[in-house]
Amino acid sequence: IKDEIKIFIPYLILFIVAVVLIAVLQNDLGQVILLALTLGVMLLFAGGSLRLLGVIFLGTISTAFVAIITSPHRILRVKSWWASAQDSVLALLPQGWAENLRVSGLPEPYQIYHAANAISSGGFFGSGLGEGYIKLGFLSDVHTDIVLAGITEELGFVGLFVIVMLFSYMLWRFFRIANRVANKTYYLFCVGIALLLGFSLIINAFGISGITPVKGIAVPFLSYGGSSLIANCIAIGLVLSISKNTQLNERSL
């Protein structure tokens, strides 16, 4: 494991630089969590051992814990999330433990409360495109990180299912391209782009549904934001370029 750690040190330094630039200077812990998840899974694709992944996981959890307890607004966000999720979790524990872990006096997060209402009111087929009413004063900035709730209200379970299937197909294509690439760097690049897009959707969906605290992660291609859209388009363009070069190399052989 010492040899693996030596190989991993340059990537760890690059990740620490990203942490300083994003989490410290821009106060955005959500993007760091997204990058950490992607880096950890890519380590397995690169041939790393589970022992090394366990060491990195413990280090990441410790760093995230320190970042949370040293920031009052992050502590409040975690408490607010727990206030809304505790009834479902504590029902599975003994009564004595449940009472010790229960947090009182905190209201359910405003956005999560109305996001859940929007998802619930959408039903199976939704209220119709453009006919959602919870976004009109109740769910603020629905076009940003909370866009999945607005889509589900108007297009229902069917609309959300179509979005998930489209993302799944896109990620499947990325992994298929990666599986055909002989170059290890190109292979890991395709895998990394697929993981970034997939984890972004999962973290956002879990956040608006109350499963995890909200992290402010945008839904690729759906949330408002020009820089995110451009970055995702460039990433997909590079993957398609790798796919095209792979096809040309196969034909030449």
Side-chain angles (χ1 to χ4, degrees), residues 10 65 72 115 144 151 153 187 229 245:
F65 180 76
T144 56
I151 292 175
E153 181 189 10
Y187 163 78
L229 179 62
N245 289 335

Side-chain angles (χ1 to χ4, degrees), residues 101 134 137 183 204:
L101 295 174
I134 294 182
N183 188 297
N204 183 279

Side-chain angles (χ1 to χ4, degrees), residues 1-235:
I1 193 172
K2 291 182 180 179
D3 294 334
E4 286 186 307
I5 291 176
K6 290 179 181 179
I7 297 174
F8 186 70
I9 285 178
Y11 305 98
L12 180 61
I13 293 175
L14 182 60
F15 179 73
I16 293 174
V17 172
V19 169
V20 173
L21 294 176
I22 299 174
V24 178
L25 299 182
Q26 299 188 31
N27 199 25
D28 188 354
L29 185 60
Q31 292 292 338
V32 172
I33 292 176
L34 173 62
L35 293 177
L37 287 173
T38 303
L39 181 63
V41 178
M42 285 184 66
L43 178 64
L44 294 179
F45 279 95
S49 66
L50 291 177
R51 290 185 302 171
L52 177 61
L53 183 62
V55 172
I56 296 173
F57 178 77
L58 291 176
T60 303
I61 292 297
S62 302
T63 304
F65 180 76
V66 172
I68 291 173
I69 64 175
T70 55
S71 176
H73 84 275
R74 292 190 183 118
I75 294 176
L76 180 61
R77 179 176 293 183
V78 172
K79 285 184 177 180
S80 298
W81 164 76
W82 179 245
S84 62
Q86 62 183 351
D87 290 336
S88 301
V89 178
L90 296 181
L92 305 174
L93 300 178
Q95 184 175 2
W97 293 6
E99 293 302 324
N100 292 330
L101 295 174
R102 185 173 299 278
V103 175
S104 58
L106 288 176
E108 189 171 6
Y110 180 87
Q111 284 285 78
I112 301 304
Y113 174 78
H114 289 294
N117 287 340
I119 294 172
S120 177
S121 64
F124 197 79
F125 293 105
S127 58
L129 189 62
E131 298 297 326
Y133 67 90
I134 294 182
K135 65 183 180 182
L136 303 177
F138 298 100
L139 198 57
S140 59
D141 296 329
V142 70
H143 57 287
T144 56
D145 301 337
I146 215 80
V147 66
L148 286 180
I151 292 175
T152 307
E153 181 189 10
E154 297 185 355
L155 301 181
F157 170 80
V158 173
L160 183 62
F161 180 78
V162 170
I163 290 175
V164 173
M165 288 298 100
L166 289 174
F167 267 91
S168 300
Y169 176 74
M170 179 176 62
L171 299 183
W172 173 74
R173 293 289 298 178
F174 285 175
F175 283 116
R176 186 177 178 183
I177 292 171
N179 192 47
R180 294 169 53 194
V181 174
N183 188 297
K184 189 73 171 182
T185 302
Y186 292 168
Y187 163 78
L188 291 175
F189 178 82
C190 294
V191 170
I193 296 301
L195 292 175
L196 279 174
L197 296 178
F199 281 141
S200 296
L201 176 66
I202 292 173
I203 293 174
N204 183 279
F206 280 17
I208 67 170
S209 58
I211 298 176
T212 61
V214 177
K215 290 299 180 184
I217 301 295
V219 182
F221 308 109
L222 293 178
S223 294
Y224 177 83
S227 58
S228 174
L229 179 62
I230 291 174
N232 290 330
C233 288
I234 291 174

